Amino acid sequence: MPVPAWVPIREELRDDEPYGAPQLDVPVQLNTNENPYGPSEETARDIADSVHGVALTLNRYPDREATELRTSLAAYLGHGLTPERVWAANGSNEVMQQVLQAFGGPGRTAVSFAPTYSMYPEYARNTHTRWVAGRRREDFGLDVDAALALIAEEQPDVVILTSPNNPTGTALDPAHTRAVLEAAPGVVVVDEAYAEFRRDGTPSALELLDEFPRLLVTRTMSKAFALAGGRLGYVAADAAIIDALRIVRLPYHLSAVSQAAATAALRHQDELLAQVDALRTTRDETADWLREQGFEVAESDANFVLFGRFEDRHAIWQGLLDRGVLIREVGPLGWLRVSIGTPQDMQAFRTALQEVTR
Ligand code: PMP
């Protein structure tokens, strides 16, 4: 439904819909790459106590610089990072929008490689940044020669790489990241929202930060950390890049409640991250099982699996939903994405999929 004619919205937004996966109350929710394991009672109590502590001072604005939280995030990331080289916002979505506010904008260009995270073009739209999408290879890996050619041609102000990529799950070859960093004239963002789920031996772009001052590595507490509801994303970069982001952020953008909750959650990182290994195992089992069933499956280093191909993927999605299993109709035509849940969730998914495709 277009926005009604009397609403004086920007014309280019008139036919747009608010972004978002359906939020449906069904028993098995495998559609937004959440962590199926919530915090323990003890962790929830510590988060609540920390929030209670700041609730007593909510008459005051929060720490604009979120110093305590950024110190905890820097310690979590390691790699010699300090709080001045880390920035936090309401989800990595907000971080990415700030990146485009600071480094994109009218007359500027951002490049990414599709199929990839479908919010990127929206950040570009919101910041009036020209958006150019290159293509990935058939196996969803980065076609590095094509990527370098596109960068040479477009001279983009921002390049967004995603590793592991959503919705395909594909991790970047570190040699390709390096090649892009050497070629790109502007900033390069490596979106590592799913970093903790990578298979062993796939290095993080954090290792390249000291060598490439125009590199930004974004992360989130929404996935591995099981804190999607807390809305906390962050980025590591050179301190001068972080200072540039501080120019465009709204004053007091990160509430005292968010800062307290995330800082408390970081104190319990061992517990919150404890399920990551189990989720990786379940992911690999799910991918193997899907292959045994005869489906095509993209290699995944994330907490989801893209599989296909279906002539009518919507019918399959609907059939699963009718059986109480919500997955995501996203990515290249003919493919579907399932997030990794508990073993029970995945059993329900398998049973439903077998019924629907029989
Ligand atoms: N980047 C990627 C690749 C994602 O898949 C997501 C969430 N789906 C995000 C960023 C944003 O996550 P959040 O805002 O919850 O940190």
Side-chain angles (χ1 to χ4, degrees):
M1 273 262 292
V3 177
W6 66 267
V7 178
I9 193 169
R10 277 161 46 194
E11 274 315 315
E12 71 272 25
L13 300 181
R14 190 166 296 282
D15 294 324
D16 286 1
E17 302 265 344
Y19 172 87
Q23 287 193 305
L24 304 175
D25 190 14
V26 295
V28 183
Q29 302 192 358
L30 302 173
N31 70 328
T32 50
N33 304 338
E34 293 154 340
N35 194 317
Y37 301 101
S40 68
E41 183 54 37
E42 188 197 341
T43 298
R45 173 67 44 209
D46 193 21
I47 292 174
D49 288 347
S50 303
V51 170
H52 179 256
V54 297
L56 296 166
T57 60
L58 280 181
N59 55 313
R60 301 290 177 194
Y61 283 112
D63 173 11
R64 226 174 12 225
E65 304 301 339
T67 306
E68 190 187 355
L69 172 60
R70 287 162 68 198
T71 305
S72 301
L73 289 167
Y76 167 67
L77 287 177
H79 292 83
L81 286 163
T82 50
E84 309 76 60
R85 297 182 63 192
V86 175
W87 179 244
N90 296 282
S92 49
N93 272 307
E94 188 182 23
V95 171
M96 199 70 81
Q97 183 148 294
Q98 291 175 341
V99 169
L100 285 189
Q101 284 174 323
F103 299 105
R108 291 191 162 213
T109 302
V111 160
S112 188
F113 301 94
T116 190
Y117 185 37
S118 46
M119 275 304 292
Y120 299 146
E122 302 209 8
Y123 311 135
R125 177 200 68 193
N126 294 351
T127 58
H128 305 269
T129 307
R130 192 172 145 258
W131 178 252
V132 177
R135 297 299 306 172
R136 287 170 172 265
R137 292 189 314 240
E138 275 288 297
D139 67 356
F140 305 126
L142 188 72
D143 181 340
V144 74
D145 294 331
L148 295 179
L150 190 65
I151 289 168
E153 189 185 321
E154 296 288 349
Q155 293 292 304
D157 303 283
V158 181
V159 176
I160 304 177
L161 302 173
T162 319
S163 183
N165 184 45
N166 178 13
T168 63
T170 330
L172 265 180
D173 178 336
H176 293 173
T177 316
R178 177 177 285 280
V180 168
L181 279 160
E182 279 164 357
V187 297
V188 176
V189 184
V190 182
D191 180 347
E192 292 195 348
Y194 301 96
E196 288 89 349
F197 297 106
R198 283 166 306 159
R199 284 176 279 195
D200 293 333
T202 325
S204 162
L206 290 171
E207 292 181 7
L208 299 170
L209 279 171
D210 287 339
E211 208 178 324
F212 294 97
R214 284 181 281 102
L215 167 64
L216 296 84
V217 182
T218 59
R219 295 275 185 107
T220 180
M221 293 182 76
S222 297
K223 312 295 179 183
F225 264 101
L227 204 73
R231 305 306 300 127
L232 203 290
Y234 54 107
V235 55
D238 189 276
I241 297 277
I242 301 296
D243 283 343
L245 296 178
R246 288 173 57 233
I247 293 175
V248 298
R249 61 109 177 91
L250 294 173
Y252 315 109
H253 69 295
L254 200 54
S255 83
V257 171
S258 299
Q259 293 186 36
T263 306
L266 281 159
R267 284 198 292 273
H268 296 269
Q269 55 185 259
D270 290 349
E271 174 203 307
L272 292 170
L273 293 168
Q275 303 299 338
V276 166
D277 279 347
L279 288 165
R280 291 156 84 205
T281 304
T282 308
R283 169 200 62 209
D284 293 340
E285 285 167 3
T286 304
D288 289 346
W289 179 83
L290 284 163
R291 284 192 187 101
E292 282 162 22
Q293 305 304 301
F295 295 111
E296 274 184 75
V297 181
E299 289 289 335
S300 176
D301 276 82
N303 66 336
F304 53 83
V305 175
L306 189 76
F307 65 104
R309 303 183 185 188
F310 303 102
E311 238 168 62
D312 184 355
R313 72 170 171 179
H314 182 72
I316 305 293
W317 178 84
Q318 186 64 55
L320 291 171
L321 182 56
D322 294 342
R323 288 162 180 78
V325 179
L326 177 60
I327 68 167
R328 189 82 187 267
E329 195 179 351
V330 69
L333 266 187
W335 296 76
L336 290 165
R337 191 192 73 191
V338 60
S339 307
I340 301 303
T342 64
Q344 294 79 352
D345 292 337
M346 300 325 285
Q347 191 50 54
F349 163 71
R350 289 184 189 195
T351 306
L353 186 64
Q354 279 177 324
E355 282 178 25
V356 171
T357 54
R358 196 161 31 217

